[in-house]
Amino acid sequence: MKTLLTTLNSKYIHSSLALRYIKSYCEDDFDIILEEYTINQHSDDVVAELYRQQADIIAFSCYIWNIEQILEVVSLLKKVQPEVKILLGGPEVSFDPVKTMEENYAVDYIICGEGEITFKEFLDKLSKDGDLATVKGLVYREDDKIIKNNPRPVIDDLDEIPSPYKSMEGLENKIIYFESNRGCPFNCQYCLSSTLSSVRYFSLERVKRELLKFIKAKVKQVKFVDRTFNCNQSRALEIFKFLLENKPDDHEMNFHFEITADLLSDEVIEFLAKVPKGYFQFEIGVQSTNLETLELIDRKMNFERLSEVVKRLFEPENIHLHLDLIAGLPKEDYQSFRNSFNDVYNLRPGRLQLGFLKLIKGSGLRVREREYEYVYTPMPPYEVLASKELSYSQMLKLKMIEEVLETFGNSHHFDYSIEFIEKNFYDTPFDMYESLAEFWEKKGYYRYSHKLESLYEYLQEFYREYCQAKEDLFDELLKFDLLLGRRKVDLPDFLNKYEIEDYKSKFKDFVNDEQMIKEHLPELIDLSSRQIQRQIQIETFKYNILNVIDGFTVDVEEDYTVILFNYYNESTLFNKALFKEIKI
């Protein structure tokens, strides 16, 4: 009995942790193969690939981002291979499996909840013509009926599940998803985890063994999928210390964690200050700073403590910090969301992720959708379009704000230019992005993609229409931001280049002057002058740009200043060049 495990990942670099667990749990007793595709592939092509396998059973892992396409693939596959048995599993089919099967006749079985034990028992019964009624967690067809068996209890001893990474084959250049625990200690009403059990842990010995395997395999990124990685402080700290002790020297990699910042102890924060730049990144779910909203969604958070922790984590500039907000939560109208946005943005995280509420099947907010007058898409991802507090028009404004935030804020290509605009022309960050979104929509720039260089010109255009003060000063800031991101000897036409008299001769003397290199570029001392030239740029600015970015004031006089940009050893979190003022 040939069994194929498959799914449609959202991107090629993603990989399915769930399927690897099931394969590992069952492969000693059954013939199991695993194939992964993406939602960017045509359904016809996926069907053709699956058909060529001629499997007896094909099991799909289903989520809100792939369920519609999976159902299309399943329907087509059954037409060309009617004898194949189709099984679905995963969070998107676990809540209402009977309805899913009633609406999709091509689906023969559904597994609800954790799938390792259930899937193995299912294969065992099926291979022996046994009684499927004894398989807990299984939904199946019997004649014209759909039978839903009793639910399966969660697995208490997680170490019973074999490693999903016995082999690292096929995972080259992909993100590795990993969990050190299952479940969630919180009960947030927008999340499916609110319906699950309390937290269960894999043993620390096993976790360390797996992490060491990833380090030795030279993977680039490991994403912990634990809902709250630091719900156990001492355990989290031990894992952090283990990763630091075993940090690889021969390749770059990083570890991503979802954490609750206000739970971090002073001991953990002090330790994290010593972690090398970029080795860890944290995603912190704030969601809202409206106290009434937080109470309604059962989200426990001390924003004052969270703010203190975020500032302390950011101070060493060594850890990427992603802070999340959700638009569309109960009692959060446009003004309230503006406040939440400003509260979080003013913490200056590396990334402010503006998400939109999705009414996931089984979540508390989905159950209470009428109370909050939610209007949402009937098909996945069930995104909220309007609510009692937010009109569809306001949601569209927030969507445009999200786009310009991603383009100009979270990209970090325009950090000084954006902060200059915010501090001099707007009362709050939200007001600035609201204006930028208005400009973006009016010009129609949201309709197509753009080259990076064009975005600098568009921001210049926005400044001249909405700010209209010291335009030449702002142009110098734009030039500074552009050069921080990349070496660009030939500046674009919309930016001014101020030539130093006899520049080529002075530049040549500089890179050949050992004393000057020792003073300004000591890390390049072992390079030849030709090699040094390729790693630096010297540019003249009409104003003392270092004073400008120190205070972000428009009240400055012309003061031609020469800046050295060093691209050799980008040591900042956002891969910016090092810079300093020089005299040549």
Side-chain angles (χ1 to χ4, degrees), residues 376-439:
Y376 62 98
T377 57
M379 302 301 290
Y382 316 114
E383 188 166 289
V384 167
L385 304 173
S387 70
K388 185 189 292 187
E389 281 81 22
L390 277 172
S391 68
Y392 181 54
S393 176
Q394 290 172 325
M395 276 293 195
L396 289 179
K397 286 182 71 172
L398 293 178
K399 282 280 186 180
M400 199 61 66
I401 288 171
E402 179 208 18
E403 179 163 329
V404 294
L405 173 67
E406 287 296 312
T407 303
F408 294 101
N410 289 334
S411 69
H412 292 285
H413 295 304
F414 313 91
D415 285 347
Y416 291 112
S417 305
I418 285 289
E419 191 166 354
F420 180 83
I421 294 172
E422 175 208 331
K423 283 185 163 40
N424 286 288
F425 300 97
Y426 290 93
D427 292 333
T428 75
F430 184 89
D431 296 337
M432 176 192 64
Y433 282 109
E434 191 177 48
S435 286
L436 191 50
E438 177 188 275
F439 162 83

Side-chain angles (χ1 to χ4, degrees), residues 259-301:
I259 68 165
T260 300
D262 47 317
L263 292 184
L264 284 181
S265 66
D266 290 341
E267 180 187 9
V268 174
I269 296 169
E270 289 166 9
F271 169 80
L272 291 171
K274 298 178 273 187
V275 173
K277 280 185 173 67
Y279 193 44
F280 290 172
Q281 61 185 44
F282 293 158
E283 184 172 344
I284 301 167
V286 181
Q287 320 313 6
S288 172
T289 62
N290 182 318
L291 296 179
E292 189 177 5
T293 296
L294 293 172
E295 185 175 352
L296 283 171
I297 63 174
D298 205 6
R299 176 80 178 172
K300 294 174 174 59
M301 179 190 66

